[in-house]
């Protein structure tokens, strides 16, 4: 009779099996943790969580925030999130964190000033309140990123296990029609930076659609100026020199990351989805320009949209998934398979912008 296998070897074999559970069904890991104390210890170990993320690489989208308050699950087995303050609105979500804010009367005179922002981890429930800004903004957009994104080369982190580490909050706003200012909050320093300001020939800047992070640079679309403002996290420099491709409107448009690691854009016109990418055009000096990466006729994939094409629009985008608003609800459209699946029924307001939340949800019992 062969001797029994050492417990350590059995644990390694069990881990290899559990690694292969699909991350878009978090209940599987919860059920595994409930089998016995040994399985619970394995699944809740920080080493297992780290290796699980490294094995799958791409975190699943657990759901999205709609109108800044309501969380809509796109994964039926997603356990409930930790509670948060109900008076706070969602501004942004990235690298496992959610940026919340609130606005309230600052004094009896009726002037308004931004309350302190709050960075929230829905998995652990950890919340960190930021100090208020010393100035008010006419229009503004805020985003949260891993602090390692500020490296000069933009390759400081794979963002698989950094959601509990240091972070930055970048707020870009207009203090006057011609002046854009940027403030950066560092969780390590615990303070906001001085204003990083720049004057640009802008008509009426409105930072409306969500920002996108490409390596170490954040991009914000200026709705009425047909330009994109870029802010380099490494050098703390900003400019608004990138012109958008010829688009009829930014209402149905979002910025996105491309599979090649560049800046992309998705928009709809009538029943068609247009994809653009900003790549090196090969001209002298390495000049970059927009290239139309693809056109998809959505009427053949979602025939129902032909009866209400005016409601069709892009509300969010991942690298390979586009979220489309239709009269019937929100659909997730996979660019690789060209298949669409409804993820939420009944949300079809033309002004809707949703904020997807992507993260691994692994049990924590220790």
């Amino acid at each position: 009779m062969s001797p029994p296998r050492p417990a350590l070897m059995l644990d390694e074999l069990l881990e290899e099996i559990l690694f292969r559970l699909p991350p878009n069904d978090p209940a599987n890991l919860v059920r595994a943790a409930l089998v016995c104390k040994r399985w619970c210890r394995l699944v809740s170990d920080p080493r297992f969580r780290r290796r699980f993320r490294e094995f799958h690489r791409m975190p699943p989208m657990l759901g999205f925030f709609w109108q800044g308050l309501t969380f809509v699950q796109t994964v039926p087995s997603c356990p409930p999130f930790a509670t948060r303050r109900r008076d706070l609105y969602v501004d942004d979500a990235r690298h496992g964190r959610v940026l919340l804010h609130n606005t309230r009367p600052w004094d009896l005179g009726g002037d308004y000033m931004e309350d302190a922002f709050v960075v929230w981890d829905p998995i652990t429930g950890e919340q960190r309140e930021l100090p208020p800004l010393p100035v008010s903004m006419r229009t503004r957009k805020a985003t949260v990123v891993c602090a390692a994104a500020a490296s000069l080369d933009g390759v400081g982190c794979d963002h698989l296990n950094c959601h509990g580490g240091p972070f930055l909050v970048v707020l870009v706003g207009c203090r006057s029609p011609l002046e854009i200012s940027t403030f950066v909050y560092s969780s390590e320093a615990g303070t906001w930076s001085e204003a990083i300001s720049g004057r640009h020939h802008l008509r009426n800047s409105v930072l409306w659609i969500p920002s996108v992070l490409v390596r170490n640079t954040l991009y914000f679309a200026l709705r009425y100026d047909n330009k994109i403002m870029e802010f380099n996290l490494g050098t703390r420099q900003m400019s608004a020199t990138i012109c958008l491709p010829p688009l009829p409107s930014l209402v149905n448009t979002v910025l996105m990351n491309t599979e090649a690691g560049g800046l992309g854009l998705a928009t709809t016109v009538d029943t068609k989805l247009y994809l653009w990418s900003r790549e090196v055009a090969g001209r002298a000096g390495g000049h970059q320009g927009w290239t139309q990466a693809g056109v998809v006729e959505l009427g053949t994939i979602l025939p129902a949209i032909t009866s209400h094409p005016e409601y069709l629009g892009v509300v969010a985008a991942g690298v390979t998934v586009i979220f489309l608003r239709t009269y019937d609800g929100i659909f997730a459209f996979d660019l690789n398979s060209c298949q669409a699946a409804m993820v939420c029924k009944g949300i079809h307001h033309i002004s809707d912008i949703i904020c997807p939340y992507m993260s691994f949800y692994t049990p924590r019992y220790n």
Side-chain angles (χ1 to χ4, degrees):
M1 180 181 294
S2 59
R5 292 178 181 272
L8 183 59
M9 183 178 295
L10 291 176
D11 287 351
E12 291 177 352
L13 292 173
L14 179 58
E15 282 187 345
E16 290 298 325
I17 295 172
L18 295 178
F19 284 155
R20 286 157 174 79
L21 292 175
N24 60 355
D25 190 0
N28 285 330
L29 283 176
V30 175
R31 297 187 191 102
L34 296 175
V35 170
C36 62
K37 290 183 178 180
R38 181 179 178 183
W39 284 38
C40 179
R41 174 178 54 80
L42 284 175
V43 171
S44 59
D45 186 85
R47 174 179 170 274
F48 175 86
R49 294 198 297 267
R50 182 178 64 254
R51 293 187 62 195
F52 183 82
R53 295 185 179 102
E54 291 171 351
F55 181 85
H56 291 282
R57 303 297 299 176
M58 180 65 69
M61 190 184 83
L62 301 178
F64 59 83
F65 293 94
W66 171 59
Q67 291 187 338
L69 282 173
T70 304
F71 182 72
V72 179
Q73 289 185 203
T74 55
V75 176
S77 67
C78 177
F81 285 157
T83 56
R84 63 181 174 92
R85 284 170 48 187
R86 303 306 302 174
D87 60 328
L88 298 178
Y89 294 82
V90 174
D91 247 11
D92 186 47
R94 185 178 286 108
H95 303 154
R97 306 174 182 87
V98 177
L99 180 63
L100 310 170
H101 83 280
N102 187 25
T103 304
R104 68 183 179 191
W106 186 251
D107 56 31
L108 296 178
D111 293 332
Y112 280 80
M113 189 170 183
E114 288 296 333
D115 224 350
F117 288 88
V118 173
V119 174
W120 170 50
D121 185 335
I123 308 299
T124 65
E126 181 182 358
Q127 299 185 35
R128 177 161 179 171
E129 186 168 345
L130 279 57
L133 281 169
V135 298
S136 59
M137 295 285 190
R138 297 173 67 245
T139 61
R140 60 115 183 106
K141 193 68 180 175
T143 189
V144 60
V145 299
C146 165
S151 62
L152 291 176
D153 58 5
V155 195
C157 184
D158 58 12
H159 305 304
L160 294 176
N161 300 286
C162 65
H163 62 281
F167 62 85
L168 303 175
V169 173
V170 179
L171 185 143
V172 179
C174 300
R175 302 171 68 179
S176 70
L178 293 177
E179 184 176 3
I180 296 179
S181 296
T182 303
F183 295 85
V184 180
Y185 172 85
S186 166
S187 65
E188 294 177 295
T191 58
W192 291 96
S193 70
E194 296 292 328
I196 304 166
S197 300
R199 297 186 64 83
H200 306 282
H201 297 291
L202 305 174
R203 292 180 297 167
N204 185 20
S205 298
V206 176
L207 297 147
W208 187 59
I209 64 178
S211 62
V212 64
L213 175 68
V214 180
R215 291 183 288 275
N216 65 348
T217 302
L218 281 166
Y219 295 90
F220 302 83
L222 305 178
R223 183 181 179 187
Y224 295 124
D225 294 278
N226 200 37
K227 290 183 178 179
I228 295 176
M229 197 204 82
E230 55 182 330
F231 180 73
N232 188 296
L233 294 166
T235 62
R236 299 289 175 93
Q237 294 180 338
M238 68 174 179
S239 63
T241 57
I242 300 177
C243 292
L244 289 163
L247 303 172
S249 170
L250 277 178
V251 174
N252 296 321
T253 302
V254 298
L255 301 176
M256 61 183 291
N257 298 89
T258 66
E259 286 191 276
L263 176 64
L265 182 148
T267 188
T268 56
V269 179
D270 297 326
T271 60
K272 292 182 179 180
L273 171 68
Y274 290 85
L275 301 172
W276 296 79
S277 63
R278 185 171 174 79
E279 310 293 349
V280 176
R283 301 175 187 175
H287 176 74
Q288 290 185 327
W290 290 99
T291 301
Q292 193 172 104
V295 181
V296 181
E297 174 53 67
L298 296 172
T300 59
I301 300 169
L302 298 170
I305 66 174
T306 57
S307 59
H308 296 282
E310 68 276 14
Y311 286 94
L312 178 64
V314 183
V315 290
V319 177
T320 60
V321 178
I322 305 291
F323 296 93
L324 301 166
R325 177 194 63 245
T326 73
Y327 182 80
D328 298 317
I330 302 293
F331 284 80
F333 176 68
D334 191 302
L335 294 174
N336 291 328
S337 65
C338 286
Q339 294 183 342
M342 180 179 285
V343 295
C344 183
K345 186 176 182 179
I347 298 177
H348 54 250
H349 301 292
I350 294 178
S351 60
D352 282 342
I353 290 291
I354 67 175
C355 183
Y357 178 73
M358 300 176 65
S359 180
F360 291 100
Y361 202 143
T362 51
R364 295 169 180 261
Y365 298 105
N366 51 343

